[in-house]
Amino acid sequence: MYRQRLTLPALTLTALTLLPLAVACGNEKGGSTGSSSVGADTEPSVTGVHWTVDSVTVNGTTHQAPDGAHVEIAKDGRATGNYGCNSFHSTATFKGDRITLSRTLSTEMACEKRPMEFETTLARALAAGPLTAEAGRGKLTLTTAKGDRVHLTEEKDAPLYDTKWTVDSLVGGDVAQSLPAAADGKAWLTFTKKSGDKEGGGKEVGTVSGSLGCNRVSAKATVRGGHITLGAPRTTRQMCSGSLMATEKSLLKLFDSTVSYRIDHRAITLTSENGKGIGAIADR
């Protein structure tokens, strides 16, 4: 649940301004070769990109970011991210070559000392006022008027194929429920595309294999657009604890049917027609 952060008022991102960050050729993205800047009439190329925070340099001292620190601004104006411990979201508005983040809310979890210290450093740097942005070769640097810098790297979405997707939740409509403790980290799927094996209509034919939490599973997997048709499952027949078997039954319901899939950075959701499905995270 998000709540207004009151304990550290300096962290509220009320006026994050990105100065020149435009592309030399209008349609080129910030991840292209060379440096780039955004003109007054060009939508900033920072939008629609998952920017992983690498480090923050303050007063000449560089602080390395913990895993998970990132910033992402959607083209519809939604801004989300993580300071290294707590998540935040806000509204981004654009005017020419400027962007303002307002109505910022963040979680208030107490985490380990180092993530909390880095989170304070990052949040204050982002809230320091107008930031000069330099982008190129998949990198983004935001520099404050005092010379402090936030260093970020563009991170692409994980590929559907040849990625080990570890199941971490069961989805039902708009509700996601964590797996039972006994099944945590034990259920996973990997999709493999057969080289040169295609059906008509742009379908990609392959297989899916992995673990249901207890038993191994494999099946045919045909991908077309944003949907995957999973064939009849072939499984081992080992008996496990009740919570593991319950998880398996939920996962097996996805097979022998067509599910929609969506990849968001390193997360994937597989959803059946009745709205039930799973969420999974790509292993690094």
Side-chain angles (χ1 to χ4, degrees):
M1 178 177 179
Y2 284 102
R3 294 187 292 173
Q4 183 72 45
R5 175 180 286 271
L6 300 176
T7 55
L8 294 172
L11 304 190
T12 302
L13 308 184
T14 57
L16 174 59
T17 304
L18 303 184
L19 294 179
L21 176 63
V23 277
C25 299
N27 293 327
E28 185 182 354
K29 295 298 183 182
S32 60
T33 58
S35 306
S36 58
S37 61
V38 165
D41 298 323
T42 305
E43 178 179 321
S45 58
V46 294
T47 59
V49 177
H50 182 100
W51 294 106
T52 295
V53 180
D54 299 321
S55 62
V56 178
T57 301
V58 177
N59 296 327
T61 301
T62 298
H63 307 267
Q64 297 299 320
D67 290 342
H70 69 275
V71 177
E72 188 169 358
I73 303 174
K75 293 184 179 180
D76 63 3
R78 291 178 299 162
T80 59
N82 188 287
Y83 294 128
C85 173
N86 284 282
S87 299
F88 70 88
H89 71 81
S90 62
T91 300
T93 54
F94 299 92
K95 184 176 181 181
D97 57 2
R98 292 177 179 272
I99 177 173
T100 300
L101 299 184
S102 59
R103 297 192 293 276
T104 299
L105 303 175
S106 74
T107 54
E108 294 183 331
M109 296 185 298
C111 302
E112 295 179 3
K113 182 178 179 180
R114 180 177 176 275
M116 290 298 291
E117 291 177 347
F118 179 85
E119 139 167 334
T120 302
T121 301
L122 172 60
R124 286 178 175 163
L126 291 177
L131 302 176
T132 300
E134 297 181 4
R137 301 181 184 275
K139 298 287 186 178
L140 174 66
T141 301
L142 305 177
T143 306
T144 71
K146 293 182 178 180
D148 297 335
R149 300 183 302 279
V150 180
H151 305 277
L152 309 97
T153 298
E154 178 181 1
E155 190 166 352
K156 303 290 187 181
D157 288 344
L160 171 65
Y161 295 109
D162 301 322
T163 296
K164 182 179 179 180
W165 296 103
T166 299
V167 180
D168 65 350
S169 62
L170 300 178
V171 178
D174 295 330
V175 179
Q177 180 181 359
S178 299
L179 297 185
D184 186 29
K186 295 182 179 179
W188 56 272
L189 298 172
T190 296
F191 295 91
T192 303
K193 180 169 60 175
K194 294 183 179 179
S195 177
D197 191 358
K198 288 188 176 182
E199 294 181 351
K203 294 181 180 179
E204 297 177 340
V205 181
T207 59
V208 61
S209 59
S211 170
L212 298 170
C214 175
N215 286 283
R216 301 280 297 187
V217 65
S218 63
K220 181 179 178 180
T222 302
V223 179
R224 182 178 183 182
H227 295 81
I228 305 174
T229 299
L230 300 174
R234 298 179 296 276
T235 69
T236 55
R237 298 182 179 277
Q238 182 179 351
M239 293 299 296
C240 300
S241 66
S243 58
L244 287 178
M245 296 305 294
T247 300
E248 289 205 358
K249 289 180 180 179
S250 296
L251 297 180
L252 281 172
K253 292 178 181 179
L254 297 175
F255 289 84
D256 212 7
S257 67
T258 298
V259 299
S260 61
Y261 79 94
R262 181 175 181 271
I263 296 176
D264 183 6
H265 184 44
R266 301 194 65 81
I268 189 173
T269 54
L270 303 178
T271 310
S272 60
E273 292 182 353
N274 63 7
K276 295 183 178 181
I278 62 170
I281 299 295
D283 280 11
R284 292 187 179 276

